[in-house]
């Protein structure tokens, strides 16, 4: 009953009051003499993205004047999040009037009040007002044909943003045809499609500013290259896991048409696990004079790194040299089980492998070294050992070949043993010439899995800071920053491992002036009354 009353008051304000501008009784209090626009600016600042409609409805119930202001401000109601529930969506669609609509439904694992199918059915009647539509699904029970329903057949002449993403295990279905089989709106600039079978032939996509395709089945190389040709001002392209793409077969009539594509405004390019034959085609066909960042992720378990880097990327040497120029440092991530990643300036290369070996790394490193003007071995390196097996050989190699200034050691909580490398950081090398492992490290970061991890870190610090006990051996550089955490990335917390105040005190005292962080909170600035704090 209360919801019905709220809805009636919001949808039919004229039954109880005129507009704000003509209601002279609104000026009895001096605060209401402020411009209506000022109230609107204040309202905008208090709206939360996930509860925007509910916030607007609550604000409209504060007083009669606020309700009048909100009724007049149609654009406030035009940004509609479907997870707030169908009653709120219905109110917003009515109050939005003729304002351009920005629709969003991001399905999450938490409970939502409204289902996506009903949300889009409600919105379909206003399809001509849609300026942006964003739908992200998590449930495998949906099919895109069922979700989009009548919206597939509606023209959307004002649409600028089309964002439809599902999950890879959604049911296989027929191709989706949008806009009633007509071409895409002329103003459509930003397209994101993931795990959806789309009829690209009917869309005739052109004039895009951004394109993001992820696991889109059956898209052809001709179709994709045509989109790039027809979008010369495109700025961002992300292509991920598109297994249907291929290179040109011999004597293909399309080869000449797509052999010299100038993308003069392209700033960011992401290519993730595309067929090697298409990589060769793509990089040999496009010119990207203004590229800022290139992210390349590729599976090399059935080929060598040189086949991907030297052949595919060899067509873009001048561009790659430009985005790796004037670099001050670089970052390397090594993982025993799956990948090697190196980031140099605007170039970010990840190679997936069965098991890490120095051969994989050196193949990639040697190729990159030829691109940059400053030798990489002379630049500071951020070294991230992501569950790498605890073999001191790796650290000794980097000690003698590179300048490691930041070291991150991460171990998988359940089965990893990467943290066993930490004691070696407190010992001189066995091989000659004798030195400390990574003696130039200034920033050290590690996770802790159990109580004995405290001892290993404290003992390692004590030994490094007692280097005078090794006469004739150059002392390692003092740490400037020490960042510690427990568990896995993203906040996994063992129930029996608390913040140990004595441990952190010991770390701070031994490190003599280094900034010490526990879970990104600087010691001793975090709340000592926290239930996860222990003095033992």
């Amino acid at each position: 009953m209360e919801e019905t009353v709220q809805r009636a008051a919001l949808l039919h304000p004229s039954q109880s009051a005129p507009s704000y501008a003509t209601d002279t009784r609104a000026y009895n209090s001096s605060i209401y003499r402020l411009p209506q626009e000022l109230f609107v600016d204040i309202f905008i600042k208090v709206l939360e993205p996930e509860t925007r409609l509910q916030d607007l409805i609550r604000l409209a119930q504060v007083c009669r004047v606020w309700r009048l202001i909100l009724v007049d401000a149609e654009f406030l109601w035009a940004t509609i999040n479907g997870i707030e529930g169908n009653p709120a969506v219905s109110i917003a669609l009515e109050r939005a009037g003729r304002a351009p609509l920005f629709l969003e439904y991001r399905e999450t694992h938490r409970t939502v009040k409204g289902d996506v199918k009903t949300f889009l059915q409600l919105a379909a009647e206003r399809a001509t007002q849609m300026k942006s539509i964003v739908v992200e699904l998590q449930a495998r029970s949906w099919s895109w044909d069922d979700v989009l329903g009548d919206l597939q057949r509606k023209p959307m002449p004002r649409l600028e943003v089309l964002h439809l993403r599902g999950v890879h295990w959604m049911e296989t279905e027929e191709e989706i045809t949008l806009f009633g089989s007509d071409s895409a709106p002329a103003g459509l600039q930003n397209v994101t499609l993931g795990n959806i079978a789309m009829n690209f032939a009917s869309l005739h996509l052109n004039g895009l500013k951004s394109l993001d395709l992820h696991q889109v089945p059956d898209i052809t190389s001709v179709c994709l290259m045509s989109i790039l040709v027809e979008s010369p001002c495109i700025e961002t392209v992300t292509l991920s896991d598109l297994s249907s793409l291929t290179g040109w077969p011999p004597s293909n009539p399309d080869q000449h048409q797509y052999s010299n594509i100038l993308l003069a405004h392209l700033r960011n390019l992401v290519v993730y696990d595309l067929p090697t034959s298409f990589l060769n085609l793509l990089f040999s066909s496009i010119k990207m004079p203004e590229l800022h960042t290139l992210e390349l992720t590729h599976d090399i378990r059935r080929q060598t790194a040189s086949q991907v880097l030297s052949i595919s990327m060899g067509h873009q040497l001048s561009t790659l040299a430009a985005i790796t120029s004037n670099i001050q440092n670089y970052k390397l991530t090594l993982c025993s089980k799956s990948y090697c990643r190196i980031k140099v300036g605007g170039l970010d290369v990840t190679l997936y492998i069965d098991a890490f070996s120095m051969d994989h790394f050196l193949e990639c490193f040697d190729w990159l070294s030829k691109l940059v003007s400053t030798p990489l071995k002379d630049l500071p390196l951020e070294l991230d050992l992501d569950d790498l097996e605890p073999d001191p050989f790796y650290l000794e190699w980097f000690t003698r070949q590179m300048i490691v200034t930041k070291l991150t050691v991460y171990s998988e909580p359940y089965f990893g043993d990467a943290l066993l490398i930490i004691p070696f950081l407190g010992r001189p090398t066995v091989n000659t010439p004798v030195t400390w492992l990574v003696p130039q490290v200034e920033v050290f970061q590690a996770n802790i899995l159990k109580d004995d991890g405290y001892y290993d870190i404290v003992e390692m610090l004590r030994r490094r800071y007692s280097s005078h006990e090794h006469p004739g051996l150059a002392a390692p550089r003092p740490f400037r920053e020490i960042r510690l955490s427990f568990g896995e990335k993203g906040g996994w917390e063992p129930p029996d491992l608390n913040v140990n105040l004595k441990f952190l005190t010991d770390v701070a005292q031994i490190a003599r002036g280094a900034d010490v962080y526990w879970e990104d909170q600087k010691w001793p600035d975090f709340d000592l009354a926290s239930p996860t704090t222990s003095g033992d």
Side-chain angles (χ1 to χ4, degrees):
M1 179 64 180
E2 181 181 355
E3 185 179 278
T4 303
V5 173
Q6 295 173 3
R7 179 178 174 84
L10 285 166
L11 296 185
H12 307 290
S14 59
Q15 295 176 0
S16 57
S19 70
Y20 175 85
T22 60
D23 187 0
T24 57
R25 289 170 294 179
Y27 294 90
N28 290 337
S29 174
S30 58
I31 192 173
Y32 293 126
R33 296 174 188 170
L34 296 173
Q36 180 176 353
E37 293 77 10
L38 183 58
F39 279 98
V40 172
D41 288 342
I42 294 172
F43 293 155
I44 290 174
K45 294 182 183 300
V46 302
L47 298 177
E48 294 291 337
E50 292 193 354
T51 58
R52 180 186 181 94
L53 303 183
Q54 301 295 336
D55 293 343
L56 287 170
I57 291 172
R58 282 192 287 269
L59 289 171
Q61 294 170 6
V62 170
C63 67
R64 183 166 172 270
V65 174
W66 283 23
R67 184 168 68 251
L68 294 174
I69 295 172
L70 289 166
V71 166
D72 283 348
E74 292 182 341
F75 77 94
L76 286 179
W77 302 88
T79 299
I80 303 175
N81 193 333
I83 68 171
E84 293 197 58
N86 299 330
V89 169
S90 296
I91 291 173
L93 287 171
E94 291 291 336
R95 289 272 29 99
R98 297 182 178 180
L101 297 177
F102 301 83
L103 306 179
E104 179 176 316
Y105 189 102
R106 296 182 190 268
E107 190 176 49
T108 64
H109 293 297
R110 67 181 180 81
T111 303
V112 295
K113 295 181 179 179
D115 70 86
V116 62
K117 182 178 178 180
T118 305
F119 169 59
L120 294 180
Q121 284 178 345
L122 291 171
E125 298 304 317
R126 302 292 189 91
T128 57
Q129 294 174 237
M130 292 181 186
K131 200 163 187 178
S132 170
I133 179 167
V134 176
V135 178
E136 292 193 354
L137 302 179
Q138 298 261 352
R140 64 180 300 172
S141 56
W142 294 118
S143 73
W144 280 111
D145 184 65
D146 191 40
V147 167
L148 296 173
D150 290 341
L151 193 60
Q152 300 176 65
R153 293 171 281 281
K154 299 284 186 177
M156 305 179 205
R158 304 172 76 173
L159 194 67
E160 295 181 0
V161 175
L162 176 65
H163 181 120
L164 304 175
R165 292 201 68 157
V167 289
H168 69 272
W169 55 76
M170 288 179 68
E171 298 177 5
T172 304
E173 54 190 14
E174 297 296 324
E175 287 186 342
I176 295 298
T177 301
L178 294 177
F179 315 119
S181 300
D182 288 339
S183 298
L188 183 61
Q189 296 184 340
N190 304 287
V191 173
T192 297
L193 299 172
N195 300 103
I196 179 171
M198 182 64 64
N199 183 348
F200 285 95
S202 66
L203 288 179
H204 300 292
L205 291 175
N206 63 87
L208 300 183
K209 290 293 185 66
S210 72
L211 176 66
D212 185 341
L213 301 178
H214 173 72
Q215 290 188 345
V216 176
D218 301 327
I219 185 171
T220 66
S221 300
V222 171
C223 175
L224 181 52
M225 299 300 280
S226 297
I227 295 173
L228 296 179
V229 168
E230 297 298 328
S231 302
C233 295
I234 200 164
E235 298 173 359
T236 300
V237 175
T238 299
L239 307 173
S240 173
D241 200 5
L242 304 173
S243 59
S244 61
L245 297 176
T246 63
W248 299 133
S251 304
N252 187 286
D254 299 308
Q255 189 168 355
H256 178 71
Q257 181 181 356
Y258 304 114
S259 61
N260 192 13
I261 304 173
L262 176 61
L263 302 178
H265 300 270
L266 186 63
R267 301 291 189 273
N268 308 293
L269 175 61
V270 178
V271 286
Y272 182 95
D273 201 18
L274 300 183
T276 304
S277 60
F278 180 76
L279 278 183
N280 295 338
L281 165 62
L282 179 68
F283 287 126
S284 65
S285 301
I286 61 176
K287 297 184 183 300
M288 308 173 286
E290 297 298 325
L291 193 70
H292 289 178
T293 61
L294 169 59
E295 296 181 34
L296 169 68
T297 300
H298 202 74
D299 189 333
I300 61 168
R301 283 175 287 191
R302 291 175 296 277
Q303 55 194 317
T304 64
S306 62
Q307 287 179 290
V308 177
L309 300 175
S310 300
I311 299 175
S312 298
M313 305 289 282
H315 301 285
Q316 297 290 334
L317 292 181
S318 60
T319 299
L320 298 177
I323 65 176
T324 56
S325 63
N326 302 318
I327 57 173
Q328 303 300 315
N329 58 12
Y330 63 109
K331 182 175 181 179
L332 172 65
T333 302
L334 304 178
C335 178
S336 289
K337 302 172 184 176
S338 57
Y339 68 93
C340 165
R341 179 181 181 185
I342 186 166
K343 189 175 188 304
V344 182
L347 178 62
D348 190 342
V349 176
T350 301
L351 301 176
Y352 277 89
I353 50 186
D354 282 324
F356 173 75
S357 73
M358 289 300 293
D359 290 341
H360 289 119
F361 163 69
L362 289 174
E363 202 172 7
C364 183
F365 185 83
D366 290 345
W367 176 78
L368 284 168
S369 297
K370 298 173 184 177
L371 294 177
V372 297
S373 55
T374 304
L376 290 180
K377 63 183 181 62
D378 296 334
L379 292 173
L381 167 63
E382 297 180 15
L383 180 60
D384 185 350
L385 306 182
D386 188 348
D387 210 30
L388 190 71
E389 63 178 286
D391 186 342
F393 163 78
Y394 297 127
L395 279 182
E396 185 168 340
W397 189 91
F398 283 104
T399 296
R400 302 188 188 283
Q401 302 294 329
M402 311 292 177
I403 304 174
V404 181
T405 58
K406 179 179 179 181
L407 176 65
T408 299
V409 181
Y410 170 79
S411 186
E412 197 276 332
Y414 297 100
F415 307 107
D417 57 4
L419 297 180
L420 295 177
I421 196 66
I422 288 178
F424 290 96
L425 297 174
R427 308 170 191 169
T429 60
V430 175
N431 298 319
T432 56
V434 177
T435 182
W436 293 90
L437 286 181
V438 287
Q440 295 164 309
V441 168
E442 297 179 339
V443 179
F444 174 72
Q445 183 169 340
N447 66 330
I448 298 173
L449 303 181
K450 46 190 178 181
D451 288 336
D452 57 6
Y454 293 147
Y455 172 82
D456 289 342
I457 288 177
V458 169
E459 189 63 20
M460 178 271 291
L461 290 172
R462 184 175 285 115
R463 287 173 177 269
R464 286 180 76 97
Y465 280 78
S466 301
S467 55
H468 60 275
E469 298 178 0
H470 301 272
L473 185 61
R477 183 173 297 175
F479 291 142
R480 173 172 51 83
E481 195 173 286
I482 299 173
R483 291 184 171 270
L484 305 169
S485 61
F486 45 54
E488 72 178 353
K489 301 171 185 177
W492 177 83
E493 178 180 342
D496 58 346
L497 187 60
N498 298 324
V499 178
N500 188 301
L501 299 184
K502 183 179 184 305
F503 163 66
L504 292 177
T505 301
D506 288 346
V507 169
Q509 289 177 346
I510 296 171
R512 295 198 289 268
D515 291 332
V516 179
Y517 294 82
W518 180 260
E519 293 292 334
D520 291 329
Q521 296 186 66
K522 188 175 181 180
W523 164 260
D525 296 342
F526 54 77
D527 184 8
L528 296 182
S530 168
T532 60
T533 302
S534 167
D536 297 331

